[in-house]
Amino acid sequence: MLHSLHDLRQRKAQAQRLSVLTAYDYPCARLLDEAGIDLILVGDSLGMVVLGLPDTTGVTLADMVHHLKAVRRGVKRAPVIGDLPYHTYDTPAEAVKNARLLMDAGADAVKLEGGLALIPQVRAIIGAGIPFIGHIGMLPQSVIEEGGYKKKGRTPEGAAHLMADARALDEAGAMACVLESIVPEVATQITAAVQMSTIGIGAGPHCDGQVLVTPDLLGSFPWFRPPFAKARADLATETLRAVREYITAVQ
Ligand code: KIV
């Protein structure tokens, strides 16, 4: 069970996998923490699974601050990561200013999407003393520019690009990096090549850890679930049952 981000190196050295889940509110965060999850991510996936938006590009800093504060109140132990939303880190100065807002709201580290092209922002954040987590591969905030969600690392050029992104983030001082929707062999090679911990989602079983969007795990967002996400509960069905039972009882 992870108590501090500083234990990440040791966990990688001991090949002990990291369990990571998203939380957006107090009760969920508290339950994840009490269950012993290693890291909690207040992801901008909240745009879809909490706010009902079509993708993450409509999530604002104010949304992130609001949900981070709720999560912080529920967590005693697990380090909490906050996502910097779309277009809130266009320059190094903006990245630092907004990363500080997330830290003030209760994050222990911040995450942004991108590799080589974002290194000035990443260096500025780390230089300001803010722990940093990277995110490469399929980048949900780029869904409009890319015209959809596409698996990464399918070609030799794509794989080399991902490796360059990962090495650049590692050298800049990232503590960990999400590898999203990456061909498993490429994710395995990246994991072996870097000192930071890799946290996979749709990137095969050989990353240093795995992250899931919690409603996908709990089956509480039945309208969409990515194929790699195994639901281990069916809260949507259970909710419908309880609500219908209540309606009948009241009537
Ligand atoms: O926003 C999020 O939940 C994420 C995960 C998919 C890694 O970034």
Side-chain angles (χ1 to χ4, degrees), residues 22 24 41-46 56 83 111 113 135 140 178-180 199-201 211-214:
T22 62
Y24 317 100
L41 169 65
V42 185
D44 60 358
S45 49
L46 83 85
T56 61
D83 255 349
K111 172 168 90 58
E113 295 183 8
H135 186 153
V178 170
L179 307 185
E180 180 158 3
I199 302 169
I201 177 162
V211 58
L212 274 187
V213 170
T214 298

Side-chain angles (χ1 to χ4, degrees), residues 153-213:
R154 287 187 194 277
T155 62
E157 300 73 38
H161 196 85
L162 287 170
M163 182 61 86
D165 283 339
R167 285 192 198 278
L169 291 169
D170 199 36
E171 277 160 25
M175 302 190 109
C177 185
V178 170
L179 307 185
E180 180 158 3
S181 211
I182 289 178
V183 170
E185 299 76 58
V186 178
T188 305
Q189 286 161 14
I190 290 173
T191 300
V194 296
Q195 292 190 308
M196 62 186 176
S197 301
T198 61
I199 302 169
I201 177 162
H206 300 300
C207 299
D208 297 310
Q210 296 289 330
V211 58
L212 274 187
V213 170

Side-chain angles (χ1 to χ4, degrees), residues 48 51 59 73 76 96 107 112 115 171 173 191 241 243-244:
M48 284 107 93
L51 303 179
V59 175
R73 289 182 205 112
K76 289 204 171 78
V96 172
L112 63 72
E171 277 160 25
T191 300
R241 186 204 57 74
V243 173
R244 285 177 182 145

